[in-house]
Amino acid sequence: MATFLFTHALRDYLRPKRVVTWVALAIALFAVGKVFMLSSTDTTPAEAYQLLSGLIVFRLLALMSAIFATAIVSQEVEQKTIVYLLTRPIPRWQMLLSRWLAAAVAVGGIAVIAVLANALSTLGGFSPAVARDLLAIVTGAFAYTALFLLVSLLLNRAMVVCLIFAFGWESAVPSMQGELYLLTINSHLNVIAERAAGDAQGVMSALAGTAKKIPLATWQAWLALAGIVTVCTMFNLSWFSKNEYVPREDGE
Amino acid sequence: MIVMDSVSRWYGQVIGVNDVSYQIGPGVTALLGMNGAGKSTLMRLITGQVRPTTGSITVFGEEPFANPGVFERVGYCPEIDNFYEYMSGREFVYTMARMNGMNDATAKARAGEMMERVNMGHALDRKIAGYSKGMRQRVKLAQAMVHNPDVILLDEPLNGLDPVGRREFMGYLGEFSAQGKTIIVSSHILFEVEQMTRSIMLLNRGRLLAAGDVRTIREYLDRYPHRIRIETPQPRELASRLIALPYVLKVDLDEWSQAIELQTRELNQFYEVLPQLVLNENIPIRGVTSPDNNLESIFKYLIEA
């Protein structure tokens, strides 16, 4: 049953109509990388890769996570199709877990295309940095979607909150003084990706979330992200199992 | 089978269902009421989508909210017209069958069978987005029945069905009922309900106004006058005889259509006396009907009461 739920949700998330824009964006990164390399002669391929990765790929990851994660439950409620899911003999936790995994895999899969497009255009192939990025991006897909799912279960206007988090909090906070970076996912992903701080200078570096050296060991970053995924998931499963999900106008 | 004990359900400041106690067993039971009466809320309570705010509801002895054990035995055809539009009808019913625990082969076979059963065999693989309203209703019905449930809840199922579809649907209800299933149908169109069942739950503003057999409900109404319309070529003569009866409260003459309409509190006595009176006075009668002989009148009476 869990397998069917997962594949059913994955098929839904990977419908051409739904992913065409994202895949196009990911592939367009190849062209962006080429243009960047041609226009910026004093930047090494490794620096260009890292900058584009931080600036675009990991932002794309957060954006996709926000959109896919909020769709897991909210979209079903808004489209009123939630009734078909909640009146089936499936434990709610199983339903949510399968759908969340499918969303995370879909997001991770598309983000992997973006990583590879970036690598091909800037580095011209594979490298250890790309491997680390792939690892970070897949981890990030699970962390972001788990967190945004939690937000969507708690708040009505979850998308706005998620986008503010993805583009405001995640970009600004890692560069701030003190230890606020601990409250971001991006900082931990940068540690896993072993991204060097400040290679790309100034505003670009700040936007890429690499302006400041993150004083964390890799294992600490793994632990923190595992904690985020576990806590958010446990909360999500418990919350979804106990609460009612009736289309809004029907519940008034 | 379905037991409601002082069930109330509030949506914030708005009450959906108010202190309803009733038991529903096998056969067809109709939830009758106007829009906002609480029919859909009651269905959501029975199908475990929402919890009662106060009171309790059990289906097969278990609380239905988020209870897979109950859902295995319940089929629900919601009022909403929303689907996974990108799916075909067969795919949708197959998906629902899989979610009901069937394996791939069984679900495929069952989905095809149910689509044929609701006369959708000609459009099995067309996208739901291209279905007419009536076709969508049929698909909803198919997904509700696909796992052969013991209890079937149908929320406004006749919406969008053409006369042929309605007749077919009545046929399905008869079949399910004959199989000993519990069928709960909601409607705000009274003549439809009359054709489906005599067992009704009459809801108004969340309250259960009356429940049981239509005839039983009629007994509640004895203190309200019943109206009887009699068609005769001699309306004046008949009116003068009938107004003399002690239990006839009022007689209205309709000379243009050659009929009278009277009101009485003693329906049985009146019907006992009428044939003798007509024979004795030799007044021809073309027809006797009761404008109250439908659920709409009962509904009106009860609400006004």
Side-chain angles (χ1 to χ4, degrees), chain B residues 131-160:
Chain B
Y131 282 177
S132 69
K133 173 93 176 164
M135 291 162 92
R136 295 161 82 90
Q137 285 292 89
R138 288 162 194 265
V139 171
K140 274 197 294 186
L141 186 60
Q143 65 81 29
M145 303 186 306
V146 73
H147 55 300
N148 194 23
D150 296 318
V151 175
I152 304 171
L153 294 104
L154 309 163
D155 201 351
E156 305 277 359
L158 298 185
N159 280 356

PDB file of all heavy atoms in Angstrom, chain B residues 131-160:
ATOM      1  N   TYR B 131     -15.412  14.928 -19.058  1.00  0.00           N
ATOM      2  CA  TYR B 131     -16.697  14.291 -18.743  1.00  0.00           C
ATOM      3  C   TYR B 131     -17.787  15.338 -18.510  1.00  0.00           C
ATOM      4  O   TYR B 131     -17.517  16.426 -17.993  1.00  0.00           O
ATOM      5  CB  TYR B 131     -16.577  13.455 -17.460  1.00  0.00           C
ATOM      6  CG  TYR B 131     -15.910  12.101 -17.621  1.00  0.00           C
ATOM      7  CD1 TYR B 131     -15.700  11.300 -16.506  1.00  0.00           C
ATOM      8  CD2 TYR B 131     -15.507  11.613 -18.855  1.00  0.00           C
ATOM      9  CE1 TYR B 131     -15.095  10.058 -16.609  1.00  0.00           C
ATOM     10  CE2 TYR B 131     -14.903  10.376 -18.976  1.00  0.00           C
ATOM     11  CZ  TYR B 131     -14.701   9.603 -17.852  1.00  0.00           C
ATOM     12  OH  TYR B 131     -14.104   8.383 -17.953  1.00  0.00           O
ATOM     13  N   SER B 132     -19.013  14.962 -18.841  1.00  0.00           N
ATOM     14  CA  SER B 132     -20.157  15.810 -18.509  1.00  0.00           C
ATOM     15  C   SER B 132     -20.463  15.644 -17.027  1.00  0.00           C
ATOM     16  O   SER B 132     -19.933  14.751 -16.362  1.00  0.00           O
ATOM     17  CB  SER B 132     -21.374  15.380 -19.334  1.00  0.00           C
ATOM     18  OG  SER B 132     -21.808  14.098 -18.888  1.00  0.00           O
ATOM     19  N   LYS B 133     -21.347  16.486 -16.529  1.00  0.00           N
ATOM     20  CA  LYS B 133     -21.723  16.436 -15.109  1.00  0.00           C
ATOM     21  C   LYS B 133     -22.286  15.068 -14.733  1.00  0.00           C
ATOM     22  O   LYS B 133     -21.938  14.499 -13.695  1.00  0.00           O
ATOM     23  CB  LYS B 133     -22.760  17.535 -14.846  1.00  0.00           C
ATOM     24  CG  LYS B 133     -23.361  17.521 -13.478  1.00  0.00           C
ATOM     25  CD  LYS B 133     -22.633  18.399 -12.525  1.00  0.00           C
ATOM     26  CE  LYS B 133     -23.359  18.428 -11.176  1.00  0.00           C
ATOM     27  NZ  LYS B 133     -22.562  18.938 -10.114  1.00  0.00           N
ATOM     28  N   GLY B 134     -23.142  14.553 -15.612  1.00  0.00           N
ATOM     29  CA  GLY B 134     -23.739  13.251 -15.334  1.00  0.00           C
ATOM     30  C   GLY B 134     -22.694  12.135 -15.296  1.00  0.00           C
ATOM     31  O   GLY B 134     -22.761  11.233 -14.460  1.00  0.00           O
ATOM     32  N   MET B 135     -21.712  12.223 -16.191  1.00  0.00           N
ATOM     33  CA  MET B 135     -20.640  11.201 -16.221  1.00  0.00           C
ATOM     34  C   MET B 135     -19.796  11.283 -14.949  1.00  0.00           C
ATOM     35  O   MET B 135     -19.378  10.271 -14.385  1.00  0.00           O
ATOM     36  CB  MET B 135     -19.764  11.398 -17.462  1.00  0.00           C
ATOM     37  CG  MET B 135     -20.479  11.081 -18.767  1.00  0.00           C
ATOM     38  SD  MET B 135     -19.628  11.804 -20.181  1.00  0.00           S
ATOM     39  CE  MET B 135     -18.563  10.442 -20.643  1.00  0.00           C
ATOM     40  N   ARG B 136     -19.579  12.487 -14.504  1.00  0.00           N
ATOM     41  CA  ARG B 136     -18.777  12.666 -13.285  1.00  0.00           C
ATOM     42  C   ARG B 136     -19.516  12.080 -12.077  1.00  0.00           C
ATOM     43  O   ARG B 136     -18.905  11.472 -11.201  1.00  0.00           O
ATOM     44  CB  ARG B 136     -18.469  14.149 -13.077  1.00  0.00           C
ATOM     45  CG  ARG B 136     -17.583  14.720 -14.169  1.00  0.00           C
ATOM     46  CD  ARG B 136     -17.657  16.225 -14.234  1.00  0.00           C
ATOM     47  NE  ARG B 136     -16.807  16.866 -13.258  1.00  0.00           N
ATOM     48  CZ  ARG B 136     -15.544  17.221 -13.462  1.00  0.00           C
ATOM     49  NH1 ARG B 136     -14.990  16.994 -14.629  1.00  0.00           N
ATOM     50  NH2 ARG B 136     -14.842  17.807 -12.535  1.00  0.00           N
ATOM     51  N   GLN B 137     -20.832  12.253 -12.077  1.00  0.00           N
ATOM     52  CA  GLN B 137     -21.627  11.674 -10.986  1.00  0.00           C
ATOM     53  C   GLN B 137     -21.496  10.151 -10.982  1.00  0.00           C
ATOM     54  O   GLN B 137     -21.383   9.516  -9.938  1.00  0.00           O
ATOM     55  CB  GLN B 137     -23.101  12.055 -11.133  1.00  0.00           C
ATOM     56  CG  GLN B 137     -23.432  13.480 -10.768  1.00  0.00           C
ATOM     57  CD  GLN B 137     -23.266  13.765  -9.280  1.00  0.00           C
ATOM     58  OE1 GLN B 137     -22.205  14.142  -8.829  1.00  0.00           O
ATOM     59  NE2 GLN B 137     -24.311  13.577  -8.515  1.00  0.00           N
ATOM     60  N   ARG B 138     -21.507   9.588 -12.169  1.00  0.00           N
ATOM     61  CA  ARG B 138     -21.410   8.128 -12.284  1.00  0.00           C
ATOM     62  C   ARG B 138     -20.054   7.630 -11.805  1.00  0.00           C
ATOM     63  O   ARG B 138     -19.955   6.593 -11.156  1.00  0.00           O
ATOM     64  CB  ARG B 138     -21.624   7.694 -13.738  1.00  0.00           C
ATOM     65  CG  ARG B 138     -23.061   7.831 -14.207  1.00  0.00           C
ATOM     66  CD  ARG B 138     -23.123   7.817 -15.721  1.00  0.00           C
ATOM     67  NE  ARG B 138     -24.411   8.272 -16.207  1.00  0.00           N
ATOM     68  CZ  ARG B 138     -25.415   7.482 -16.513  1.00  0.00           C
ATOM     69  NH1 ARG B 138     -25.271   6.192 -16.405  1.00  0.00           N
ATOM     70  NH2 ARG B 138     -26.557   7.958 -16.928  1.00  0.00           N
ATOM     71  N   VAL B 139     -19.021   8.387 -12.144  1.00  0.00           N
ATOM     72  CA  VAL B 139     -17.672   7.985 -11.715  1.00  0.00           C
ATOM     73  C   VAL B 139     -17.575   8.050 -10.185  1.00  0.00           C
ATOM     74  O   VAL B 139     -16.984   7.171  -9.546  1.00  0.00           O
ATOM     75  CB  VAL B 139     -16.594   8.881 -12.375  1.00  0.00           C
ATOM     76  CG1 VAL B 139     -15.225   8.626 -11.765  1.00  0.00           C
ATOM     77  CG2 VAL B 139     -16.547   8.621 -13.864  1.00  0.00           C
ATOM     78  N   LYS B 140     -18.170   9.091  -9.620  1.00  0.00           N
ATOM     79  CA  LYS B 140     -18.167   9.199  -8.153  1.00  0.00           C
ATOM     80  C   LYS B 140     -18.869   8.008  -7.520  1.00  0.00           C
ATOM     81  O   LYS B 140     -18.444   7.474  -6.506  1.00  0.00           O
ATOM     82  CB  LYS B 140     -18.869  10.493  -7.717  1.00  0.00           C
ATOM     83  CG  LYS B 140     -17.960  11.695  -7.685  1.00  0.00           C
ATOM     84  CD  LYS B 140     -18.558  12.830  -6.880  1.00  0.00           C
ATOM     85  CE  LYS B 140     -19.798  13.387  -7.510  1.00  0.00           C
ATOM     86  NZ  LYS B 140     -20.304  14.579  -6.827  1.00  0.00           N
ATOM     87  N   LEU B 141     -19.964   7.619  -8.158  1.00  0.00           N
ATOM     88  CA  LEU B 141     -20.714   6.477  -7.645  1.00  0.00           C
ATOM     89  C   LEU B 141     -19.868   5.203  -7.753  1.00  0.00           C
ATOM     90  O   LEU B 141     -19.814   4.390  -6.822  1.00  0.00           O
ATOM     91  CB  LEU B 141     -22.020   6.333  -8.435  1.00  0.00           C
ATOM     92  CG  LEU B 141     -23.010   5.291  -7.955  1.00  0.00           C
ATOM     93  CD1 LEU B 141     -23.448   5.599  -6.531  1.00  0.00           C
ATOM     94  CD2 LEU B 141     -24.239   5.258  -8.857  1.00  0.00           C
ATOM     95  N   ALA B 142     -19.172   5.075  -8.879  1.00  0.00           N
ATOM     96  CA  ALA B 142     -18.338   3.878  -9.093  1.00  0.00           C
ATOM     97  C   ALA B 142     -17.239   3.786  -8.035  1.00  0.00           C
ATOM     98  O   ALA B 142     -16.977   2.712  -7.491  1.00  0.00           O
ATOM     99  CB  ALA B 142     -17.725   3.911 -10.494  1.00  0.00           C
ATOM    100  N   GLN B 143     -16.586   4.912  -7.731  1.00  0.00           N
ATOM    101  CA  GLN B 143     -15.502   4.866  -6.736  1.00  0.00           C
ATOM    102  C   GLN B 143     -16.046   4.572  -5.330  1.00  0.00           C
ATOM    103  O   GLN B 143     -15.351   4.001  -4.502  1.00  0.00           O
ATOM    104  CB  GLN B 143     -14.661   6.146  -6.763  1.00  0.00           C
ATOM    105  CG  GLN B 143     -15.345   7.447  -6.351  1.00  0.00           C
ATOM    106  CD  GLN B 143     -15.429   7.643  -4.847  1.00  0.00           C
ATOM    107  OE1 GLN B 143     -14.599   7.159  -4.093  1.00  0.00           O
ATOM    108  NE2 GLN B 143     -16.470   8.351  -4.411  1.00  0.00           N
ATOM    109  N   ALA B 144     -17.293   4.967  -5.092  1.00  0.00           N
ATOM    110  CA  ALA B 144     -17.880   4.701  -3.770  1.00  0.00           C
ATOM    111  C   ALA B 144     -18.211   3.219  -3.604  1.00  0.00           C
ATOM    112  O   ALA B 144     -18.216   2.697  -2.488  1.00  0.00           O
ATOM    113  CB  ALA B 144     -19.132   5.549  -3.566  1.00  0.00           C
ATOM    114  N   MET B 145     -18.483   2.548  -4.728  1.00  0.00           N
ATOM    115  CA  MET B 145     -18.932   1.152  -4.649  1.00  0.00           C
ATOM    116  C   MET B 145     -17.817   0.155  -4.935  1.00  0.00           C
ATOM    117  O   MET B 145     -18.013  -1.042  -4.807  1.00  0.00           O
ATOM    118  CB  MET B 145     -20.054   0.908  -5.661  1.00  0.00           C
ATOM    119  CG  MET B 145     -21.245   1.810  -5.490  1.00  0.00           C
ATOM    120  SD  MET B 145     -22.602   1.350  -6.589  1.00  0.00           S
ATOM    121  CE  MET B 145     -21.843   1.325  -8.186  1.00  0.00           C
ATOM    122  N   VAL B 146     -16.661   0.666  -5.342  1.00  0.00           N
ATOM    123  CA  VAL B 146     -15.630  -0.210  -5.919  1.00  0.00           C
ATOM    124  C   VAL B 146     -15.158  -1.292  -4.937  1.00  0.00           C
ATOM    125  O   VAL B 146     -14.784  -2.385  -5.351  1.00  0.00           O
ATOM    126  CB  VAL B 146     -14.447   0.629  -6.452  1.00  0.00           C
ATOM    127  CG1 VAL B 146     -13.606   1.199  -5.322  1.00  0.00           C
ATOM    128  CG2 VAL B 146     -13.588  -0.193  -7.393  1.00  0.00           C
ATOM    129  N   HIS B 147     -15.214  -1.003  -3.639  1.00  0.00           N
ATOM    130  CA  HIS B 147     -14.718  -1.987  -2.663  1.00  0.00           C
ATOM    131  C   HIS B 147     -15.867  -2.745  -2.007  1.00  0.00           C
ATOM    132  O   HIS B 147     -15.675  -3.364  -0.963  1.00  0.00           O
ATOM    133  CB  HIS B 147     -13.834  -1.307  -1.625  1.00  0.00           C
ATOM    134  CG  HIS B 147     -14.489  -0.142  -0.922  1.00  0.00           C
ATOM    135  ND1 HIS B 147     -14.942   0.969  -1.581  1.00  0.00           N
ATOM    136  CD2 HIS B 147     -14.762   0.073   0.379  1.00  0.00           C
ATOM    137  CE1 HIS B 147     -15.466   1.815  -0.713  1.00  0.00           C
ATOM    138  NE2 HIS B 147     -15.386   1.295   0.473  1.00  0.00           N
ATOM    139  N   ASN B 148     -17.038  -2.676  -2.631  1.00  0.00           N
ATOM    140  CA  ASN B 148     -18.204  -3.410  -2.164  1.00  0.00           C
ATOM    141  C   ASN B 148     -18.477  -3.151  -0.674  1.00  0.00           C
ATOM    142  O   ASN B 148     -18.502  -4.072   0.140  1.00  0.00           O
ATOM    143  CB  ASN B 148     -18.004  -4.912  -2.400  1.00  0.00           C
ATOM    144  CG  ASN B 148     -19.300  -5.678  -2.243  1.00  0.00           C
ATOM    145  OD1 ASN B 148     -20.386  -5.114  -2.386  1.00  0.00           O
ATOM    146  ND2 ASN B 148     -19.205  -6.958  -1.908  1.00  0.00           N
ATOM    147  N   PRO B 149     -18.697  -1.907  -0.322  1.00  0.00           N
ATOM    148  CA  PRO B 149     -18.848  -1.562   1.097  1.00  0.00           C
ATOM    149  C   PRO B 149     -20.205  -1.987   1.666  1.00  0.00           C
ATOM    150  O   PRO B 149     -21.154  -2.228   0.917  1.00  0.00           O
ATOM    151  CB  PRO B 149     -18.738  -0.031   1.095  1.00  0.00           C
ATOM    152  CG  PRO B 149     -19.232   0.365  -0.257  1.00  0.00           C
ATOM    153  CD  PRO B 149     -18.844  -0.728  -1.194  1.00  0.00           C
ATOM    154  N   ASP B 150     -20.268  -2.053   2.978  1.00  0.00           N
ATOM    155  CA  ASP B 150     -21.529  -2.387   3.646  1.00  0.00           C
ATOM    156  C   ASP B 150     -22.409  -1.158   3.819  1.00  0.00           C
ATOM    157  O   ASP B 150     -23.623  -1.250   3.908  1.00  0.00           O
ATOM    158  CB  ASP B 150     -21.249  -2.998   5.028  1.00  0.00           C
ATOM    159  CG  ASP B 150     -20.500  -4.308   4.908  1.00  0.00           C
ATOM    160  OD1 ASP B 150     -20.868  -5.095   4.019  1.00  0.00           O
ATOM    161  OD2 ASP B 150     -19.546  -4.533   5.668  1.00  0.00           O
ATOM    162  N   VAL B 151     -21.737  -0.017   3.942  1.00  0.00           N
ATOM    163  CA  VAL B 151     -22.473   1.246   4.089  1.00  0.00           C
ATOM    164  C   VAL B 151     -22.079   2.155   2.934  1.00  0.00           C
ATOM    165  O   VAL B 151     -20.898   2.327   2.651  1.00  0.00           O
ATOM    166  CB  VAL B 151     -22.113   1.945   5.428  1.00  0.00           C
ATOM    167  CG1 VAL B 151     -22.779   3.313   5.518  1.00  0.00           C
ATOM    168  CG2 VAL B 151     -22.522   1.085   6.607  1.00  0.00           C
ATOM    169  N   ILE B 152     -23.084   2.708   2.275  1.00  0.00           N
ATOM    170  CA  ILE B 152     -22.804   3.619   1.169  1.00  0.00           C
ATOM    171  C   ILE B 152     -23.483   4.956   1.464  1.00  0.00           C
ATOM    172  O   ILE B 152     -24.687   4.991   1.727  1.00  0.00           O
ATOM    173  CB  ILE B 152     -23.325   3.062  -0.171  1.00  0.00           C
ATOM    174  CG1 ILE B 152     -22.726   1.676  -0.437  1.00  0.00           C
ATOM    175  CG2 ILE B 152     -22.986   3.995  -1.324  1.00  0.00           C
ATOM    176  CD1 ILE B 152     -23.334   0.956  -1.625  1.00  0.00           C
ATOM    177  N   LEU B 153     -22.699   6.009   1.447  1.00  0.00           N
ATOM    178  CA  LEU B 153     -23.253   7.346   1.670  1.00  0.00           C
ATOM    179  C   LEU B 153     -23.183   8.132   0.374  1.00  0.00           C
ATOM    180  O   LEU B 153     -22.117   8.244  -0.233  1.00  0.00           O
ATOM    181  CB  LEU B 153     -22.471   8.086   2.760  1.00  0.00           C
ATOM    182  CG  LEU B 153     -22.588   7.466   4.147  1.00  0.00           C
ATOM    183  CD1 LEU B 153     -21.336   6.707   4.493  1.00  0.00           C
ATOM    184  CD2 LEU B 153     -22.867   8.521   5.190  1.00  0.00           C
ATOM    185  N   LEU B 154     -24.311   8.641  -0.028  1.00  0.00           N
ATOM    186  CA  LEU B 154     -24.400   9.339  -1.309  1.00  0.00           C
ATOM    187  C   LEU B 154     -24.935  10.744  -1.063  1.00  0.00           C
ATOM    188  O   LEU B 154     -26.098  10.913  -0.697  1.00  0.00           O
ATOM    189  CB  LEU B 154     -25.329   8.574  -2.253  1.00  0.00           C
ATOM    190  CG  LEU B 154     -25.016   7.074  -2.409  1.00  0.00           C
ATOM    191  CD1 LEU B 154     -26.207   6.327  -2.999  1.00  0.00           C
ATOM    192  CD2 LEU B 154     -23.798   6.876  -3.282  1.00  0.00           C
ATOM    193  N   ASP B 155     -24.061  11.717  -1.248  1.00  0.00           N
ATOM    194  CA  ASP B 155     -24.430  13.099  -0.953  1.00  0.00           C
ATOM    195  C   ASP B 155     -24.940  13.763  -2.233  1.00  0.00           C
ATOM    196  O   ASP B 155     -24.171  13.992  -3.156  1.00  0.00           O
ATOM    197  CB  ASP B 155     -23.193  13.834  -0.405  1.00  0.00           C
ATOM    198  CG  ASP B 155     -23.570  15.076   0.389  1.00  0.00           C
ATOM    199  OD1 ASP B 155     -24.755  15.446   0.372  1.00  0.00           O
ATOM    200  OD2 ASP B 155     -22.668  15.669   1.020  1.00  0.00           O
ATOM    201  N   GLU B 156     -26.224  14.045  -2.242  1.00  0.00           N
ATOM    202  CA  GLU B 156     -26.880  14.649  -3.414  1.00  0.00           C
ATOM    203  C   GLU B 156     -26.488  13.913  -4.703  1.00  0.00           C
ATOM    204  O   GLU B 156     -25.985  14.525  -5.650  1.00  0.00           O
ATOM    205  CB  GLU B 156     -26.500  16.131  -3.526  1.00  0.00           C
ATOM    206  CG  GLU B 156     -26.785  16.960  -2.295  1.00  0.00           C
ATOM    207  CD  GLU B 156     -28.227  17.451  -2.211  1.00  0.00           C
ATOM    208  OE1 GLU B 156     -29.011  17.159  -3.130  1.00  0.00           O
ATOM    209  OE2 GLU B 156     -28.555  18.085  -1.200  1.00  0.00           O
ATOM    210  N   PRO B 157     -26.727  12.622  -4.772  1.00  0.00           N
ATOM    211  CA  PRO B 157     -26.208  11.842  -5.903  1.00  0.00           C
ATOM    212  C   PRO B 157     -26.921  12.080  -7.227  1.00  0.00           C
ATOM    213  O   PRO B 157     -26.385  11.737  -8.278  1.00  0.00           O
ATOM    214  CB  PRO B 157     -26.426  10.394  -5.446  1.00  0.00           C
ATOM    215  CG  PRO B 157     -27.586  10.463  -4.527  1.00  0.00           C
ATOM    216  CD  PRO B 157     -27.500  11.802  -3.844  1.00  0.00           C
ATOM    217  N   LEU B 158     -28.115  12.635  -7.182  1.00  0.00           N
ATOM    218  CA  LEU B 158     -28.861  12.779  -8.437  1.00  0.00           C
ATOM    219  C   LEU B 158     -28.562  14.088  -9.145  1.00  0.00           C
ATOM    220  O   LEU B 158     -29.047  14.315 -10.250  1.00  0.00           O
ATOM    221  CB  LEU B 158     -30.366  12.669  -8.169  1.00  0.00           C
ATOM    222  CG  LEU B 158     -30.829  11.331  -7.591  1.00  0.00           C
ATOM    223  CD1 LEU B 158     -32.347  11.291  -7.473  1.00  0.00           C
ATOM    224  CD2 LEU B 158     -30.357  10.169  -8.442  1.00  0.00           C
ATOM    225  N   ASN B 159     -27.763  14.935  -8.507  1.00  0.00           N
ATOM    226  CA  ASN B 159     -27.395  16.200  -9.150  1.00  0.00           C
ATOM    227  C   ASN B 159     -26.736  15.930 -10.490  1.00  0.00           C
ATOM    228  O   ASN B 159     -25.770  15.181 -10.573  1.00  0.00           O
ATOM    229  CB  ASN B 159     -26.394  16.977  -8.285  1.00  0.00           C
ATOM    230  CG  ASN B 159     -27.069  17.708  -7.152  1.00  0.00           C
ATOM    231  OD1 ASN B 159     -28.295  17.691  -7.050  1.00  0.00           O
ATOM    232  ND2 ASN B 159     -26.283  18.325  -6.298  1.00  0.00           N
ATOM    233  N   GLY B 160     -27.263  16.521 -11.518  1.00  0.00           N
ATOM    234  CA  GLY B 160     -26.621  16.428 -12.825  1.00  0.00           C
ATOM    235  C   GLY B 160     -27.000  15.199 -13.621  1.00  0.00           C
ATOM    236  O   GLY B 160     -26.545  15.051 -14.746  1.00  0.00           O
TER     237      GLY B 160
END
